[in-house]
Amino acid sequence: MSEAQQGKASACPSEFDVIVVGAGFAGLYLIHSLRQKGLSVRAFEAGSDVGGTWFWNRYPGARCDIESVIYSYSFSDELQDEWRWSERYATQAEILAYIQHVADRFELRRDIQFNTRVSAATFDEKDERWTVETEQGQRVKARFVIMATGSLTVPKPVDIPGLEDFKGTWYHSTNWPAEGVDFTGKRVGLVGTASTGVQMVPLIAQQAEHLTVFQRTANFVLPAGNRPLSEEEQRHYRATYPQIREKTRYSSGGSHYQFNDQSALVATAEEREAIYEENYRINGLAFLGSFNDLLINEEANATAAEFIRGKIRSVVKDPVVAEDLCPNDHPLGSKRLCIGSSYLETFNRSNVSLVNLKRTPLERITEGGMRTCDQELPFDVLVFATGFDAITGALSRIQVTGREGLKLKDKWKDGPRCYLGLATAGFPNMFIMTGPQSPGALANVVVAIEQHADWIMDCIGYLEQQNRTLIEASPDAENAWVEKVAALSQITLHRKGASWYSGANVPGKPRVFMPFVGGFGNYRRMCDAVAANGYEGFVLSGCAAGATVEQEELA
Ligand code: NAP
């Protein structure tokens, strides 16, 4: 193990051009891009290896709900050509192996210090440097800091009283033991029935003596339609990658699907049924593209929601359980659709039961299990698939201080504010990957990451070309962008789903709908226009050593 992998301070010089926080998909591509620009970079990573969210989330059934051929980097033709995805939707293990391969292939680990959590980042106006501090007390300086801390990295703390009393073992999906967990012969209680819970349930049910699933909100769950990728499909993808990638870059969600540009209300009932049936069977998340108004028109949405409820009733044999599994309190797609394999079928097993917490609320965790308002159930193991303090969680755990002592947590106390989702006023030379007010959370995140990183590289290049040393979002541009993101979110039915997109899942978190919903391709064009107009909405200042520039601000 290298010194960097041990997190040793001695392995690290004290100054770099850029410090990157995080070594997941975003951090790795940033390291590669910064090196290509000839900039020195050091990344700090809390885990013992690369991978980010795919390093930690090793729970049974973990896999991506975006197709592997597009949930991958596009920056290197060689990488694209040599890697073989074995299944349509890759498992966590395969994605992690891919990320590790990328780290090896481009020798990225030598610029990463592992087992190192960043605790603070402070901007010093006099020397125009960021000082980044780690939990081990190491201090390193850089001209730029880029937060590649991920949207889904910090678990939402378990907010059910009594966990400390529980005498059995418990696990949270976001920090699963690398060696796995054997549920054989165990009575298991599982809380959480969204994307993560839906993936775990079928696999835990196969092992456990009995699995009890605690559901608070029923979700729209669609079959993944997963299958191995044949040699022929692999060849086809490799041959058509340029077109596929181009499509993902300008699509609404970073995918290569062709969405139906017709209203659900114009189609006949038979046409709707046929389109829903086809998309339900094979298209996973792209079911939402069945018609062009599912996310903006409640009546159109209701047709799709009823189709899914019909599927639930046809698969789940016990009519009471089927009704409990039917989502009724939010429009389809207003919370992220859940993609599973045999999730609904699992409720037909004799060793699986469902507790509907809307009918019988959870009271507390006890020494021996869980108590709802009407019963106490004994468990050997508890599993929490209760989600994340998403988008801002990781950043809020770092003490970030900008100009004039401005603390990020104070600036964002009523909700996060970013210009283009990439930068926040008062924090010069700090960029955020897939941050609040970017489309990252709603898009194929790898496509978003490549766009963000490329844009940031060009931005740093422009700054240098202008002989300037500092760039930051102007408050006016930031306000206008935040307002635009908020207004757009009111157009879609997302406003009707209480989810991690708006912080609604974490008690006490400010409620702000964080992702840009205007479409990824549109977002890319807006970012390109900002760059083409001399980084409109950003303020450039400072003067590179040996250069003379006029000191007026280029706003
Ligand atoms: P999540 O969407 O926030 O869902 C958390 C689940 O836990 C919900 O069912 C929630 O119920 C429940 N819950 C939370 N606190 C609870 C409590 N105190 N009592 C009872 N139930 C409680 O989290 P997630 O499933 O981990 O997914 C988060 C995101 O990660 C997804 O939306 C997706 O973007 C990503 N993800 C993707 C994949 C994939 O690619 N396949 C897999 C996993 C995750 P309520 O809804 O009632 O709050």
Side-chain angles (χ1 to χ4, degrees):
M1 193 188 265
S2 71
E3 286 191 320
Q5 268 174 312
Q6 295 166 41
K8 281 200 181 159
S10 61
C12 188
S14 61
E15 181 147 353
F16 296 89
D17 291 318
V18 185
I19 288 174
V20 171
V21 187
F25 263 110
L28 291 190
Y29 181 51
L30 282 166
I31 297 169
H32 176 71
S33 309
L34 289 161
R35 273 193 201 161
Q36 303 284 101
K37 276 192 85 63
L39 296 169
S40 63
V41 51
R42 171 58 43 128
F44 292 109
E45 166 56 51
S48 60
D49 198 4
V50 295
T53 204
W54 295 106
F55 174 86
W56 299 104
N57 285 265
R58 298 161 183 256
Y59 60 83
R63 63 171 78 232
C64 189
D65 56 11
I66 295 174
E67 288 191 50
S68 20
V69 288
I70 56 164
Y71 193 82
S72 50
Y73 293 116
S74 71
F75 69 86
S76 159
D77 288 344
E78 295 77 22
L79 169 67
Q80 193 165 270
D81 215 39
E82 74 203 10
W83 185 262
R84 300 281 183 277
W85 292 107
S86 65
E87 290 177 88
R88 187 168 177 225
Y89 296 98
T91 59
Q92 171 271 338
E94 191 168 12
I95 297 170
L96 187 59
Y98 169 77
I99 298 173
Q100 288 168 338
H101 169 75
V102 172
D104 290 340
R105 192 186 196 291
F106 298 97
E107 296 179 20
L108 302 176
R109 284 192 180 83
R110 70 180 146 87
D111 287 328
I112 307 170
Q113 187 174 311
F114 293 100
N115 298 307
T116 307
R117 195 174 282 283
V118 166
S119 54
T122 310
F123 181 67
D124 181 328
E125 287 174 66
K126 260 209 324 281
D127 71 357
E128 299 183 346
R129 294 288 182 275
W130 281 92
T131 299
V132 169
E133 216 172 315
T134 71
E135 281 185 351
Q136 289 101 322
Q138 183 184 354
R139 290 159 73 88
V140 184
K141 287 190 175 204
R143 289 160 53 212
F144 298 91
V145 64
I146 309 181
M147 300 297 185
T149 41
S151 291
L152 298 165
T153 40
V154 174
K156 179 186 90 140
V158 175
D159 53 6
I160 306 162
L163 184 58
E164 60 290 351
D165 299 337
F166 184 59
K167 294 276 189 275
T169 41
W170 65 271
Y171 303 93
H172 196 288
S173 57
T174 56
N175 195 3
W176 205 259
E179 65 281 9
V181 177
D182 184 3
F183 291 102
T184 310
K186 306 282 189 213
R187 296 162 304 173
V188 183
L190 182 148
V191 186
T193 53
S195 301
T196 299
V198 159
Q199 291 185 328
M200 281 179 164
V201 160
L203 292 172
I204 297 178
Q206 283 168 22
Q207 272 190 350
E209 181 187 305
H210 194 91
L211 171 65
T212 305
V213 179
F214 292 90
Q215 171 194 278
R216 189 165 63 185
T217 303
N219 276 306
F220 291 95
V221 182
L222 287 82
N226 189 34
R227 54 180 168 71
L229 287 178
S230 67
E231 259 308 307
E232 196 188 330
E233 279 173 297
Q234 303 256 14
R235 265 198 306 278
H236 168 75
Y237 283 128
R238 280 200 299 284
T240 54
Y241 248 137
Q243 295 90 306
I244 291 175
R245 298 299 195 183
E246 192 59 10
K247 209 159 179 192
T248 64
R249 291 188 187 111
Y250 288 93
S251 66
S252 60
S255 81
H256 59 312
Y257 293 108
Q258 189 61 48
F259 293 146
N260 182 6
D261 197 15
Q262 184 195 9
S263 161
L265 303 177
V266 167
T268 65
E270 291 72 33
E271 283 166 350
R272 270 201 304 265
E273 192 71 10
I275 289 173
Y276 287 148
E277 185 65 42
E278 168 86 353
N279 284 329
Y280 179 83
R281 229 170 22 84
I282 54 172
N283 275 337
L285 287 178
F287 181 84
L288 267 179
S290 296
F291 293 100
N292 65 7
D293 49 359
L294 294 188
L295 263 179
I296 49 173
N297 181 310
E298 289 197 58
E299 204 186 332
N301 190 285
T303 65
E306 193 47 35
F307 174 87
I308 300 291
R309 285 191 286 268
K311 287 291 179 192
I312 296 170
R313 292 178 188 121
S314 72
V315 173
V316 179
K317 292 187 180 133
D318 180 326
V320 176
V321 177
E323 256 354 273
D324 282 345
L325 286 166
C326 282
N328 279 306
D329 63 357
H330 61 280
L332 175 133
S334 62
K335 298 170 82 155
R336 191 179 170 96
L337 291 184
C338 300
I339 305 300
S341 296
S342 306
Y343 176 70
L344 297 172
E345 291 81 351
T346 300
F347 290 94
N348 293 332
R349 292 176 68 111
S350 58
N351 71 332
V352 175
S353 43
L354 180 73
V355 175
N356 180 346
L357 298 178
K358 286 270 159 77
R359 218 176 24 240
T360 56
L362 203 50
E363 283 187 347
R364 61 176 298 113
I365 299 166
T366 61
E367 269 191 23
M370 296 269 233
R371 193 161 73 220
T372 63
C373 67
D374 69 341
Q375 60 178 334
E376 181 153 351
L377 291 163
F379 295 114
D380 306 304
V381 183
L382 294 179
V383 175
F384 297 98
T386 44
F388 300 84
D389 180 355
I391 305 181
T392 53
L395 273 175
S396 68
R397 277 153 184 78
I398 301 172
Q399 173 90 280
V400 183
T401 309
R403 271 190 200 284
E404 296 169 15
L406 178 64
K407 304 261 185 266
L408 189 64
K409 75 168 172 1
D410 292 337
K411 180 179 171 184
W412 286 6
K413 70 178 177 347
D414 298 324
R417 307 181 69 77
C418 283
Y419 177 40
L420 303 177
L422 288 164
T424 187
F427 297 80
N429 289 9
M430 180 176 96
F431 296 103
I432 301 170
M433 298 291 284
T434 63
Q437 284 104 18
S438 100
L442 289 177
N444 173 351
V445 78
V446 188
V447 179
I449 282 166
E450 288 193 330
Q451 182 272 344
H452 285 15
D454 292 347
W455 191 93
I456 293 168
M457 292 312 112
D458 289 346
C459 178
I460 293 176
Y462 180 79
L463 193 66
E464 288 174 347
Q465 206 183 48
Q466 300 292 314
N467 287 321
R468 298 287 184 169
T469 49
L470 297 175
I471 183 160
E472 67 187 293
S474 81
D476 286 350
E478 177 176 298
N479 290 341
W481 183 260
V482 170
E483 272 171 36
K484 186 198 284 277
V485 171
L488 283 171
S489 74
Q490 290 307 304
I491 296 171
T492 70
L493 296 174
H494 283 111
R495 68 185 184 278
K496 299 213 154 189
S499 74
W500 59 267
Y501 295 147
S502 59
N505 63 326
V506 178
K509 190 165 172 171
R511 285 263 197 133
V512 172
F513 190 85
M514 292 180 271
F516 171 87
V517 299
F520 182 74
N522 292 334
Y523 169 81
R524 176 189 292 277
R525 289 185 195 96
M526 290 176 192
C527 289
D528 288 349
V530 164
N533 290 332
Y535 292 84
E536 192 175 13
F538 285 89
V539 178
L540 280 70
S541 60
C543 177
T548 47
V549 284
E550 296 196 7
Q551 283 303 312
E552 94 281 13
E553 285 180 345
L554 307 175

